[in-house]
Amino acid sequence: MKSFIHATALVIGTAIGAGFLALPLSGAHLNVPLIVAATLICIFVTYRSSVMAVDLNEFYQSSASLDKLCRIHVGRGLFIVALTSLYLLSLSFLTGYFACFSDMLCAFLPVNRSIGIIASACGLFLILSLRTRLFSNLNSLFVFAFLAAILLILLQIAMKCSSGAIETQANLRELPCFLPILFASFTMQTVCPYIYKNLDGQKKTIRRALFLGCLIPGVIYALWMICVLKTASQDPALWQRLRAHEISVGELIAFLCDRLPYASVGAILKTVTALGVVTSAIGYGVGLLQSLQNLLPKPLARFFICFLPAVINLFAPNLFIHILTFIGMISAVFTIFVPYYLTVRHMKQRSLSGLFCFLFGLTVVICEIVYEWK
Protein backbone atom coordinates (compact mmCIF):
# COMPACT_ATOMS: atom_id res chain seq x y z
CA MET A 1 0.00 0.00 0.00
CA LYS A 2 2.80 2.40 0.85
CA SER A 3 4.46 1.81 -2.53
CA PHE A 4 1.10 2.40 -4.24
CA ILE A 5 0.67 5.72 -2.41
CA HIS A 6 4.20 6.85 -3.32
CA ALA A 7 3.67 5.83 -6.98
CA THR A 8 0.34 7.66 -7.19
CA ALA A 9 1.86 10.73 -5.55
CA LEU A 10 4.73 10.73 -8.04
CA VAL A 11 2.30 10.61 -10.99
CA ILE A 12 0.12 13.39 -9.52
CA GLY A 13 3.11 15.52 -8.60
CA THR A 14 4.67 15.14 -12.05
CA ALA A 15 1.45 15.98 -13.88
CA ILE A 16 0.52 18.99 -11.74
CA GLY A 17 2.97 21.77 -12.33
CA ALA A 18 3.11 23.74 -15.53
CA GLY A 19 -0.61 23.57 -16.20
CA PHE A 20 -1.52 24.85 -12.77
CA LEU A 21 0.08 28.18 -13.72
CA ALA A 22 0.00 28.24 -17.52
CA LEU A 23 -3.55 27.10 -18.29
CA PRO A 24 -5.35 30.17 -16.88
CA LEU A 25 -2.91 32.34 -18.86
CA SER A 26 -3.69 30.54 -22.14
CA GLY A 27 -7.37 29.63 -21.63
CA ALA A 28 -8.96 33.05 -21.12
CA HIS A 29 -10.69 32.88 -24.52
CA LEU A 30 -12.47 29.58 -23.83
CA ASN A 31 -15.79 28.82 -22.15
CA VAL A 32 -16.53 26.31 -19.39
CA PRO A 33 -17.93 23.46 -21.59
CA LEU A 34 -14.88 23.59 -23.87
CA ILE A 35 -12.47 23.63 -20.91
CA VAL A 36 -14.19 20.61 -19.32
CA ALA A 37 -14.39 18.65 -22.61
CA ALA A 38 -10.72 19.26 -23.47
CA THR A 39 -9.67 18.27 -19.94
CA LEU A 40 -11.62 15.00 -20.06
CA ILE A 41 -10.05 14.11 -23.41
CA CYS A 42 -6.56 14.79 -22.03
CA ILE A 43 -7.25 12.63 -18.96
CA PHE A 44 -8.21 9.73 -21.23
CA VAL A 45 -5.29 10.16 -23.65
CA THR A 46 -2.75 10.52 -20.84
CA TYR A 47 -4.01 7.43 -19.05
CA ARG A 48 -4.15 5.26 -22.18
CA SER A 49 -0.73 6.38 -23.42
CA SER A 50 0.82 5.71 -20.00
CA VAL A 51 -0.78 2.24 -19.99
CA MET A 52 0.86 1.63 -23.39
CA ALA A 53 4.23 2.49 -21.88
CA VAL A 54 3.63 0.10 -18.96
CA ASP A 55 2.45 -2.66 -21.31
CA LEU A 56 5.71 -2.29 -23.22
CA ASN A 57 7.69 -2.66 -19.97
CA GLU A 58 5.74 -5.84 -19.26
CA PHE A 59 6.13 -7.16 -22.82
CA TYR A 60 9.90 -6.65 -22.82
CA GLN A 61 10.20 -7.69 -19.14
CA SER A 62 12.13 -4.51 -18.38
CA SER A 63 11.64 -1.34 -16.35
CA ALA A 64 13.71 0.65 -18.84
CA SER A 65 12.59 3.94 -20.39
CA LEU A 66 11.21 3.96 -23.95
CA ASP A 67 14.48 5.14 -25.47
CA LYS A 68 16.37 2.20 -23.93
CA LEU A 69 13.69 -0.27 -25.07
CA CYS A 70 14.04 1.12 -28.59
CA ARG A 71 17.81 0.78 -28.48
CA ILE A 72 17.69 -2.85 -27.34
CA HIS A 73 14.69 -4.21 -29.23
CA VAL A 74 13.93 -2.02 -32.24
CA GLY A 75 16.71 -0.23 -34.05
CA ARG A 76 18.88 2.83 -34.25
CA GLY A 77 16.43 5.09 -36.11
CA LEU A 78 13.58 4.90 -33.60
CA PHE A 79 16.07 4.90 -30.71
CA ILE A 80 17.42 8.28 -31.86
CA VAL A 81 13.88 9.66 -32.21
CA ALA A 82 12.86 8.40 -28.75
CA LEU A 83 16.08 9.54 -27.06
CA THR A 84 15.99 12.99 -28.64
CA SER A 85 12.33 13.55 -27.81
CA LEU A 86 12.82 12.34 -24.20
CA TYR A 87 15.73 14.70 -23.59
CA LEU A 88 14.01 17.62 -25.32
CA LEU A 89 10.81 16.95 -23.39
CA SER A 90 12.40 16.68 -19.94
CA LEU A 91 14.91 19.50 -20.38
CA SER A 92 12.23 21.78 -21.84
CA PHE A 93 9.96 21.12 -18.88
CA LEU A 94 12.75 21.80 -16.41
CA THR A 95 13.71 24.97 -18.29
CA GLY A 96 10.09 26.15 -18.13
CA TYR A 97 9.83 25.31 -14.43
CA PHE A 98 13.00 27.18 -13.58
CA ALA A 99 11.68 30.22 -15.49
CA CYS A 100 8.34 29.97 -13.68
CA PHE A 101 9.86 29.48 -10.22
CA SER A 102 12.28 32.39 -10.63
CA ASP A 103 9.41 34.60 -11.85
CA MET A 104 7.42 33.79 -8.70
CA LEU A 105 10.42 34.43 -6.45
CA CYS A 106 10.96 37.83 -8.06
CA ALA A 107 7.26 38.67 -7.60
CA PHE A 108 7.10 37.67 -3.94
CA LEU A 109 10.63 38.28 -2.63
CA PRO A 110 13.29 40.96 -3.21
CA VAL A 111 15.63 38.60 -5.06
CA ASN A 112 17.41 38.81 -8.37
CA ARG A 113 16.07 36.61 -11.19
CA SER A 114 19.45 34.92 -11.67
CA ILE A 115 19.58 34.00 -7.98
CA GLY A 116 16.13 32.41 -8.28
CA ILE A 117 17.24 30.29 -11.24
CA ILE A 118 20.44 29.12 -9.53
CA ALA A 119 18.50 28.35 -6.33
CA SER A 120 16.08 26.20 -8.39
CA ALA A 121 18.96 24.23 -9.91
CA CYS A 122 20.69 23.67 -6.57
CA GLY A 123 17.46 22.63 -4.84
CA LEU A 124 16.63 20.05 -7.51
CA PHE A 125 20.19 18.71 -7.41
CA LEU A 126 19.97 18.15 -3.66
CA ILE A 127 16.58 16.40 -3.92
CA LEU A 128 17.76 14.07 -6.70
CA SER A 129 20.76 13.18 -4.53
CA LEU A 130 18.57 11.74 -1.76
CA ARG A 131 18.23 8.03 -1.17
CA THR A 132 15.21 6.38 -2.80
CA ARG A 133 13.19 5.88 0.40
CA LEU A 134 13.79 9.41 1.69
CA PHE A 135 13.10 10.84 -1.76
CA SER A 136 9.75 8.99 -2.03
CA ASN A 137 8.65 10.12 1.43
CA LEU A 138 9.65 13.73 0.74
CA ASN A 139 7.96 13.82 -2.68
CA SER A 140 4.74 12.29 -1.29
CA LEU A 141 4.74 14.84 1.54
CA PHE A 142 5.06 17.68 -1.00
CA VAL A 143 2.25 16.27 -3.15
CA PHE A 144 -0.26 15.69 -0.35
CA ALA A 145 0.52 19.09 1.18
CA PHE A 146 -0.15 20.56 -2.25
CA LEU A 147 -3.48 18.70 -2.63
CA ALA A 148 -4.71 19.76 0.83
CA ALA A 149 -3.74 23.37 0.23
CA ILE A 150 -5.23 23.56 -3.26
CA LEU A 151 -8.59 22.30 -1.98
CA LEU A 152 -8.60 25.15 0.55
CA ILE A 153 -7.61 27.69 -2.11
CA LEU A 154 -10.25 26.46 -4.58
CA LEU A 155 -12.93 26.70 -1.89
CA GLN A 156 -11.91 30.26 -1.01
CA ILE A 157 -11.76 31.40 -4.64
CA ALA A 158 -15.07 29.69 -5.48
CA MET A 159 -16.80 31.49 -2.58
CA LYS A 160 -15.28 34.80 -3.62
CA CYS A 161 -16.21 34.54 -7.32
CA SER A 162 -19.53 32.67 -7.05
CA SER A 163 -21.34 35.48 -8.87
CA GLY A 164 -18.82 35.78 -11.70
CA ALA A 165 -19.14 34.23 -15.14
CA ILE A 166 -16.75 33.48 -17.99
CA GLU A 167 -17.80 34.64 -21.43
CA THR A 168 -19.93 31.96 -23.08
CA GLN A 169 -18.60 32.58 -26.59
CA ALA A 170 -15.35 30.67 -27.10
CA ASN A 171 -12.68 31.94 -29.47
CA LEU A 172 -11.62 28.76 -31.26
CA ARG A 173 -8.65 30.54 -32.84
CA GLU A 174 -6.97 30.30 -29.43
CA LEU A 175 -7.12 26.47 -29.43
CA PRO A 176 -3.77 26.05 -31.30
CA CYS A 177 -2.09 27.71 -28.30
CA PHE A 178 -4.24 26.18 -25.55
CA LEU A 179 -4.39 22.51 -26.61
CA PRO A 180 -0.60 21.82 -26.70
CA ILE A 181 -0.24 23.51 -23.30
CA LEU A 182 -3.12 21.47 -21.86
CA PHE A 183 -1.65 18.22 -23.16
CA ALA A 184 1.83 19.17 -21.94
CA SER A 185 0.32 19.89 -18.51
CA PHE A 186 -0.75 16.24 -18.16
CA THR A 187 2.51 14.72 -19.36
CA MET A 188 3.96 12.35 -16.75
CA GLN A 189 4.77 9.21 -18.80
CA THR A 190 8.50 9.64 -18.21
CA VAL A 191 7.99 8.19 -14.69
CA CYS A 192 6.21 5.02 -15.93
CA PRO A 193 9.37 2.83 -15.88
CA TYR A 194 10.14 4.03 -12.35
CA ILE A 195 6.60 3.16 -11.24
CA TYR A 196 6.68 -0.22 -13.00
CA LYS A 197 9.87 -1.07 -11.13
CA ASN A 198 8.73 0.16 -7.71
CA LEU A 199 5.37 -1.62 -7.92
CA ASP A 200 7.10 -4.86 -8.98
CA GLY A 201 5.26 -5.05 -12.30
CA GLN A 202 1.83 -5.57 -10.67
CA LYS A 203 -0.31 -4.48 -13.59
CA LYS A 204 -3.61 -3.86 -11.79
CA THR A 205 -1.93 -1.83 -9.07
CA ILE A 206 0.04 0.15 -11.64
CA ARG A 207 -3.12 0.92 -13.63
CA ARG A 208 -4.93 2.14 -10.51
CA ALA A 209 -2.00 4.41 -9.66
CA LEU A 210 -1.92 5.77 -13.20
CA PHE A 211 -5.69 6.29 -13.32
CA LEU A 212 -5.77 8.22 -10.05
CA GLY A 213 -2.61 10.06 -11.09
CA CYS A 214 -4.38 11.28 -14.26
CA LEU A 215 -7.86 11.87 -12.83
CA ILE A 216 -6.89 13.98 -9.81
CA PRO A 217 -4.78 16.50 -11.80
CA GLY A 218 -7.54 16.70 -14.42
CA VAL A 219 -10.21 17.59 -11.86
CA ILE A 220 -7.90 20.12 -10.21
CA TYR A 221 -6.95 21.70 -13.55
CA ALA A 222 -10.57 22.13 -14.65
CA LEU A 223 -11.72 23.58 -11.31
CA TRP A 224 -8.65 25.82 -11.07
CA MET A 225 -9.07 27.25 -14.59
CA ILE A 226 -12.76 27.97 -14.05
CA CYS A 227 -12.24 29.61 -10.64
CA VAL A 228 -9.26 31.71 -11.73
CA LEU A 229 -10.88 32.90 -14.95
CA LYS A 230 -14.13 33.79 -13.16
CA THR A 231 -12.12 35.78 -10.60
CA ALA A 232 -10.04 37.55 -13.26
CA SER A 233 -13.16 38.46 -15.27
CA GLN A 234 -14.34 40.62 -12.35
CA ASP A 235 -11.41 42.99 -12.96
CA PRO A 236 -11.90 44.48 -16.48
CA ALA A 237 -8.37 45.88 -16.78
CA LEU A 238 -6.66 42.64 -15.74
CA TRP A 239 -9.12 40.58 -17.81
CA GLN A 240 -8.18 42.45 -20.98
CA ARG A 241 -4.46 42.00 -20.26
CA LEU A 242 -5.02 38.31 -19.54
CA ARG A 243 -6.84 37.80 -22.84
CA ALA A 244 -4.03 39.66 -24.60
CA HIS A 245 -1.45 37.27 -23.00
CA GLU A 246 0.27 40.16 -21.20
CA ILE A 247 0.13 38.75 -17.64
CA SER A 248 3.06 36.91 -16.06
CA VAL A 249 2.76 34.02 -13.61
CA GLY A 250 3.87 36.19 -10.71
CA GLU A 251 1.32 38.91 -11.53
CA LEU A 252 -1.54 36.42 -11.75
CA ILE A 253 -0.70 34.83 -8.39
CA ALA A 254 -0.28 38.26 -6.77
CA PHE A 255 -3.71 39.29 -8.12
CA LEU A 256 -5.34 36.13 -6.72
CA CYS A 257 -3.67 36.69 -3.34
CA ASP A 258 -5.15 40.20 -3.20
CA ARG A 259 -8.62 38.76 -3.91
CA LEU A 260 -8.49 36.15 -1.15
CA PRO A 261 -10.22 37.10 2.13
CA TYR A 262 -7.31 36.35 4.47
CA ALA A 263 -3.60 37.10 4.20
CA SER A 264 -2.82 33.62 5.52
CA VAL A 265 -4.71 32.05 2.63
CA GLY A 266 -2.70 34.19 0.22
CA ALA A 267 0.48 32.85 1.79
CA ILE A 268 -0.84 29.31 1.30
CA LEU A 269 -1.53 30.09 -2.38
CA LYS A 270 2.06 31.22 -2.88
CA THR A 271 3.26 28.02 -1.21
CA VAL A 272 0.90 25.92 -3.34
CA THR A 273 2.17 27.34 -6.62
CA ALA A 274 5.75 26.76 -5.52
CA LEU A 275 4.94 23.17 -4.51
CA GLY A 276 3.25 22.54 -7.87
CA VAL A 277 6.43 23.53 -9.70
CA VAL A 278 8.71 21.65 -7.28
CA THR A 279 6.82 18.32 -7.40
CA SER A 280 6.59 18.35 -11.18
CA ALA A 281 10.27 19.26 -11.58
CA ILE A 282 11.14 16.34 -9.27
CA GLY A 283 9.13 13.95 -11.44
CA TYR A 284 10.82 15.04 -14.66
CA GLY A 285 14.20 15.02 -13.00
CA VAL A 286 13.60 11.41 -11.90
CA GLY A 287 12.42 10.34 -15.36
CA LEU A 288 15.40 11.92 -17.10
CA LEU A 289 17.86 10.58 -14.52
CA GLN A 290 16.47 7.06 -15.09
CA SER A 291 17.52 7.32 -18.75
CA LEU A 292 20.61 9.51 -18.58
CA GLN A 293 22.45 7.47 -15.96
CA ASN A 294 22.78 4.72 -18.59
CA LEU A 295 25.07 7.07 -20.53
CA LEU A 296 26.77 9.12 -17.80
CA PRO A 297 27.92 8.58 -14.20
CA LYS A 298 25.00 9.34 -11.87
CA PRO A 299 26.54 12.48 -10.23
CA LEU A 300 27.36 13.92 -13.67
CA ALA A 301 23.85 13.07 -14.92
CA ARG A 302 22.31 14.91 -11.95
CA PHE A 303 24.53 17.94 -12.62
CA PHE A 304 23.55 17.96 -16.31
CA ILE A 305 19.82 17.67 -15.50
CA CYS A 306 19.83 20.50 -12.98
CA PHE A 307 22.21 23.08 -14.39
CA LEU A 308 21.66 22.95 -18.18
CA PRO A 309 18.09 24.34 -17.80
CA ALA A 310 19.49 27.01 -15.46
CA VAL A 311 22.05 28.11 -18.06
CA ILE A 312 19.36 28.27 -20.77
CA ASN A 313 17.21 30.48 -18.54
CA LEU A 314 20.08 32.80 -17.75
CA PHE A 315 20.68 33.51 -21.44
CA ALA A 316 17.10 33.25 -22.76
CA PRO A 317 14.53 34.78 -20.35
CA ASN A 318 10.70 34.73 -20.54
CA LEU A 319 10.38 31.22 -21.95
CA PHE A 320 7.52 29.84 -19.85
CA ILE A 321 4.40 29.97 -22.08
CA HIS A 322 6.25 29.73 -25.39
CA ILE A 323 8.20 26.65 -24.35
CA LEU A 324 5.07 24.84 -23.14
CA THR A 325 3.49 24.85 -26.60
CA PHE A 326 6.70 23.32 -27.96
CA ILE A 327 6.62 20.74 -25.15
CA GLY A 328 3.14 19.67 -26.23
CA MET A 329 4.44 18.69 -29.67
CA ILE A 330 7.51 16.88 -28.32
CA SER A 331 5.34 15.15 -25.73
CA ALA A 332 3.10 13.78 -28.49
CA VAL A 333 6.15 12.20 -30.14
CA PHE A 334 7.54 10.55 -27.00
CA THR A 335 4.37 9.70 -25.07
CA ILE A 336 2.06 8.72 -27.95
CA PHE A 337 3.76 8.11 -31.31
CA VAL A 338 6.69 6.01 -30.06
CA PRO A 339 4.71 3.69 -27.71
CA TYR A 340 1.89 3.40 -30.27
CA TYR A 341 4.37 2.31 -32.94
CA LEU A 342 5.97 -0.25 -30.61
CA THR A 343 2.56 -1.54 -29.47
CA VAL A 344 1.32 -2.07 -33.04
CA ARG A 345 4.60 -3.26 -34.58
CA HIS A 346 6.01 -5.50 -31.84
CA MET A 347 3.13 -6.39 -29.53
CA LYS A 348 0.75 -6.76 -32.52
CA GLN A 349 -1.96 -4.96 -30.58
CA ARG A 350 -4.40 -2.58 -32.26
CA SER A 351 -7.17 -0.80 -30.41
CA LEU A 352 -9.55 2.10 -30.93
CA SER A 353 -8.20 3.80 -27.81
CA GLY A 354 -4.65 3.61 -29.17
CA LEU A 355 -5.79 5.01 -32.53
CA PHE A 356 -7.66 7.80 -30.75
CA CYS A 357 -4.50 8.69 -28.81
CA PHE A 358 -2.51 8.74 -32.05
CA LEU A 359 -5.03 11.05 -33.75
CA PHE A 360 -5.10 13.32 -30.71
CA GLY A 361 -1.28 13.52 -30.72
CA LEU A 362 -1.40 14.40 -34.42
CA THR A 363 -3.88 17.17 -33.62
CA VAL A 364 -1.53 18.58 -30.96
CA VAL A 365 1.36 18.63 -33.45
CA ILE A 366 -0.79 20.42 -36.04
CA CYS A 367 -1.91 22.96 -33.41
CA GLU A 368 1.71 23.68 -32.52
CA ILE A 369 2.61 24.20 -36.20
CA VAL A 370 -0.38 26.54 -36.66
CA TYR A 371 0.54 28.45 -33.49
CA GLU A 372 4.15 28.94 -34.57
CA TRP A 373 3.04 29.92 -38.06
CA LYS A 374 0.86 32.67 -36.59
Side-chain angles (χ1 to χ4, degrees), residues 294-328:
N294 296 317
L295 303 175
L296 299 172
K298 199 169 183 178
L300 184 58
R302 283 196 294 262
F303 185 87
F304 178 82
I305 290 168
C306 299
F307 290 98
L308 180 59
V311 171
I312 294 172
N313 270 294
L314 290 173
F315 290 97
N318 304 319
L319 292 172
F320 185 52
I321 292 295
H322 184 77
I323 205 170
L324 282 179
T325 60
F326 170 75
I327 287 171

Side-chain angles (χ1 to χ4, degrees), residues 10-52:
L10 183 60
V11 176
I12 294 171
T14 305
I16 295 181
F20 185 70
L21 300 163
L23 289 174
L25 298 178
S26 60
H29 290 269
L30 306 179
N31 57 24
V32 172
L34 191 55
I35 287 173
V36 172
T39 303
L40 289 174
I41 291 172
C42 279
I43 290 172
F44 175 78
V45 171
T46 304
Y47 172 69
R48 289 306 308 170
S49 59
S50 60
V51 168
M52 280 195 289

Side-chain angles (χ1 to χ4, degrees), residues 79 84 206 269 325 336:
F79 164 64
T84 303
I206 293 170
L269 176 58
T325 60
I336 295 179

